[in-house]
Amino acid sequence: MTLAKFVDELPIVEVLKPNGMIGGVPFYNIRMQQFKQKLHRDLPETTVWGFEGNYPGPAIEVNKNQWIRVKWVNDLPSKHLLPVDTTVHGAEADKPRVRTVVHLHGGVVRPDSDGYPDAWFTKGYKEVGPDFTRKIYDYPNRQRGTTLWYHAHAIGITRLNVYAGLAGPYIIRDPLEECLNLPKGCYEILLLIQDRSFNNDGSLYYPDEPDPPVPGVYPSVVPDFFGDNILVNGKVWPYLEVEPRKYRFRIINGSNSRFYRMKLSSGQPFYQIGTDGGLLDTPIITKQILLAPAERADVIIDFSNFMSHNIVLTNDAPSPFPRGNPADPNTEGQIMQFRVSLPLISRDLSIIPYRLSLIIPLKEKEARLERNLTLVRRTDKYGRAFLLLNDETWDDPITIKPQLGSIEVWNLINLANSTHPIHIHLVNFQILDRQSFDVEHYEETGEILTTAPAVPPELNERGWKDTVRANPGEITRIIMRFVPYTGLYPWHCHILEHEDHEMMRPYEIVNYIP
Ligand code: C2O
Ligand code: CU
Ligand code: CU
């Protein structure tokens, strides 16, 4: 039985206040905890994990250049909520089941504040990962204003920790944005979208093995997972009452595997103003927005001409994307509802400016080098299909060592059958183009034979990105400059089931290359 839609109001994510100041820097003490929360009117309370008693976690909001410090505290019970597969790298039976470390996705931070997958810790730091673990993380916020998100990142169990609820939004505000006169205050709303499935008692359902099961492995990681209930800000299919005017929505896809291809049932367009790395240079008018896991879209929706309409935010992305099962219009095909039912309190003076920001393109000819990196499907020693980056596993020696300050082009050559959202820590990149190639020919000869001209990125991808969709049978080319820190960072597929099962690699930014 499916739960009734649009019976719960959309929760507005609370903004967390710092606990105090340390040496002139705002300090936050943020506990990860287990608690019960009501996720739908007709569902018994669900045991979830979250931050400071909230699922999803509260919003951290800062001004650009405002340094903050966060102590992420593991206050979770010793038993995991979900089935831990001990055959997955980093989650072996001798490791504690409940381990966490928090990563600020899209954040420009030093390696020891980045939430390296091996830098996990248990309650009270009783046990820590092989990596040096710093207790207090520094976030300088010296980067473009945008919507980031923080989430659990411990090696081998990220999919379970995030599914249990360990994720929340993080907003960097650029004071210059104020001059743009975009909708703000209660007309600026954050939407964190996630899919979940439930057992009848209201508990979270997550598969303990794939179908068919893997002989000799229980519980086992699954190739991907798609919940059939869509939650926004922690409620299943919520509604939001709005005034007939413009609103700004900061949308985050915080799902494990699910892509969303969003439309408005009224047929009206979105005005997309920003992406992962902040504002675009000019707004894009589009009837459809596609978001892979971890991608963000900053959009304006104008409800002015829709008084008394109920508008549904729909989704028609197949799972897995793009060649999988079509979205069921009765379940995952719907995300939330906007009810244009509130009286207009005052005239809407906000605007959608033609010039939003300045985006200077990185030039290919300035690249120090270009790397060919494959996304490839293999079979692990238990016979399970899994995916690798450049045919290497997490533990293999580091092969990517960009020089600090240098520009590189990465060619993501997808030999697999579905789209992988590839995320690189620390840097923001630009998408150069995508080009189809002959996969079979490549597998036989190792040569790239392109089959169509390269196409530029979509209009709404022509800004700064930290996660890019690498489509099957295509070479997706991205360009970035490796600044401002040296050290070890991961890059990975953001389908969390893939990330946990070896589709993640370290890279190291180095000072000097002889
Ligand atoms: Cu959002 Cu390494 O991840
Ligand atoms: Cu990240
Ligand atoms: Cu993937």
Side-chain angles (χ1 to χ4, degrees):
M1 217 207 51
T2 35
L3 292 165
K5 293 187 186 66
F6 319 132
V7 295
D8 292 288
E9 202 171 350
L10 174 81
I12 300 297
V13 180
E14 257 178 67
V15 177
L16 197 63
K17 289 197 188 61
N19 296 71
M21 302 286 271
I22 292 186
V25 177
F27 171 78
Y28 295 76
N29 189 77
I30 306 179
R31 289 162 299 177
M32 295 170 248
Q33 297 156 320
Q34 173 170 310
F35 47 89
K36 283 177 181 281
Q37 194 170 305
K38 192 99 170 129
L39 305 184
H40 184 273
R41 184 194 69 189
D42 303 330
L43 211 56
E45 289 195 314
T46 304
T47 301
V48 291
W49 288 3
F51 296 87
E52 292 296 308
N54 295 285
Y55 160 68
I60 300 175
E61 216 178 287
V62 295
N63 277 330
K64 180 177 171 164
N65 295 328
Q66 171 64 66
W67 196 295
I68 65 161
R69 295 213 156 108
V70 179
K71 183 171 183 185
W72 299 105
V73 179
N74 182 341
D75 197 16
L76 296 163
S78 57
K79 194 176 173 300
H80 209 292
L81 259 187
L82 301 165
V84 175
D85 176 355
T86 54
T87 68
V88 166
H89 168 75
E92 295 82 6
D94 63 337
K95 304 278 186 341
R97 293 290 197 277
V98 178
R99 302 172 280 121
T100 57
V101 61
V102 179
H103 166 59
L104 175 59
H105 181 118
V108 178
V109 307
R110 285 190 191 278
D112 57 1
S113 289
D114 190 51
Y116 200 69
D118 291 330
W120 50 262
F121 49 93
T122 59
K123 190 169 185 163
Y125 303 97
K126 282 208 188 66
E127 287 180 71
V128 295
D131 215 70
F132 168 66
T133 298
R134 250 180 86 159
K135 291 190 181 163
I136 297 179
Y137 276 16
D138 277 299
Y139 300 104
N141 301 310
R142 295 174 66 163
Q143 57 184 105
R144 288 167 59 93
T146 190
T147 311
L148 309 176
W149 62 304
Y150 59 90
H151 61 77
H153 210 275
I155 186 88
I157 49 168
T158 293
R159 69 193 185 288
L160 306 174
N161 289 355
V162 172
Y163 192 83
L166 295 179
Y170 188 110
I171 296 176
I172 301 178
R173 288 193 183 276
D174 185 338
L176 284 179
E177 240 183 65
E178 285 293 299
C179 321
L180 292 178
N181 198 16
L182 297 163
K184 56 172 180 270
C186 54
Y187 307 113
E188 182 201 314
I189 293 172
L190 203 133
L191 306 175
L192 175 63
I193 307 177
Q194 299 183 307
D195 57 337
R196 295 289 183 268
S197 287
F198 300 103
N199 301 307
N200 286 337
D201 63 358
S203 58
L204 286 173
Y205 168 80
Y206 187 87
D208 46 14
E209 58 183 358
D211 180 19
V214 187
V217 189
Y218 183 86
S220 169
V221 66
V222 292
D224 45 37
F225 177 67
F226 305 100
D228 51 6
N229 297 267
I230 309 298
L231 287 76
V232 188
N233 300 349
K235 282 282 182 199
V236 181
W237 290 307
Y239 69 85
L240 174 70
E241 291 187 296
V242 296
E243 297 176 26
R245 54 159 291 149
K246 292 190 280 307
Y247 279 73
R248 175 182 184 181
F249 296 99
R250 296 172 181 262
I251 309 176
I252 305 171
N253 180 357
S255 308
N256 279 31
S257 293
R258 188 180 287 288
F259 288 54
Y260 300 91
R261 192 162 56 199
M262 299 176 288
K263 289 194 184 76
L264 292 161
S265 62
S266 50
Q268 69 189 104
F270 303 96
Y271 300 87
Q272 187 168 350
I273 57 170
T275 54
D276 309 346
L279 295 175
L280 291 160
D281 60 354
T282 190
I284 304 303
I285 304 174
T286 176
K287 290 211 166 171
Q288 157 176 313
I289 293 177
L290 175 61
L291 285 185
E295 283 190 300
R296 285 90 73 206
D298 200 340
V299 305
I300 290 174
I301 303 178
D302 189 354
F303 299 111
S304 323
N305 295 324
F306 292 89
M307 192 58 198
S308 334
H309 288 239
N310 291 336
I311 301 167
V312 178
L313 181 66
T314 61
N315 158 45
D316 70 350
S319 305
F321 191 84
R323 298 173 182 163
N325 302 315
D328 179 342
N330 290 316
T331 55
E332 68 262 17
Q334 302 185 49
I335 299 171
M336 65 173 290
Q337 183 192 53
F338 300 105
R339 293 186 189 158
V340 194
S341 55
L342 299 176
L344 186 64
I345 288 183
S346 63
R347 239 176 84 207
D348 179 9
L349 298 172
S350 68
I351 56 167
I352 307 174
Y354 179 73
R355 267 282 150 244
L356 292 163
S357 78
L358 183 65
I359 305 225
I360 300 170
L362 293 177
K363 294 203 192 71
E364 243 189 287
K365 62 172 197 296
E366 284 168 18
R368 187 175 162 271
L369 54 85
E370 187 164 339
R371 300 178 193 269
N372 282 339
L373 301 161
T374 55
L375 318 185
V376 48
R377 190 170 180 265
R378 298 278 181 241
T379 310
D380 76 2
K381 66 175 181 210
Y382 302 98
R384 298 176 291 196
F386 71 154
L387 292 129
L388 297 177
L389 296 173
N390 218 24
D391 232 342
E392 294 161 336
T393 61
W394 175 247
D395 268 342
D396 284 329
I398 296 170
T399 47
I400 302 184
K401 295 187 177 180
Q403 184 174 324
L404 180 67
S406 71
I407 294 177
E408 294 193 0
V409 172
W410 288 15
N411 301 332
L412 306 169
I413 305 169
N414 189 349
L415 302 165
N417 201 25
S418 57
T419 298
H420 299 275
I422 301 298
H423 168 52
I424 307 176
H425 283 220
L426 184 72
V427 293
N428 270 213
F429 49 77
Q430 292 170 356
I431 306 172
L432 291 170
D433 50 39
R434 294 189 175 91
Q435 189 165 23
S436 303
F437 70 104
D438 186 332
V439 175
E440 272 174 35
H441 183 83
Y442 183 90
E443 274 167 350
E444 279 160 25
T445 65
E447 260 168 52
I448 292 169
L449 191 68
T450 57
T451 52
V455 289
E458 305 277 327
L459 290 174
N460 58 6
E461 293 181 314
R462 296 184 195 177
W464 290 102
K465 297 278 294 165
D466 56 46
T467 306
V468 61
R469 296 183 302 273
N471 300 318
E474 286 181 13
I475 302 166
T476 303
R477 299 198 316 136
I478 57 175
I479 185 166
M480 66 225 121
R481 187 192 296 275
F482 291 91
V483 279
Y485 306 121
T486 55
L488 264 192
Y489 293 93
W491 68 288
H492 57 88
C493 176
H494 221 288
I495 292 177
L496 300 181
E497 285 71 18
H498 297 180
E499 170 182 348
D500 275 348
H501 202 179
E502 299 288 358
M503 204 177 191
M504 173 159 73
R505 286 283 296 153
Y507 78 94
E508 186 178 8
I509 302 176
V510 296
N511 244 318
Y512 172 71
I513 299 173

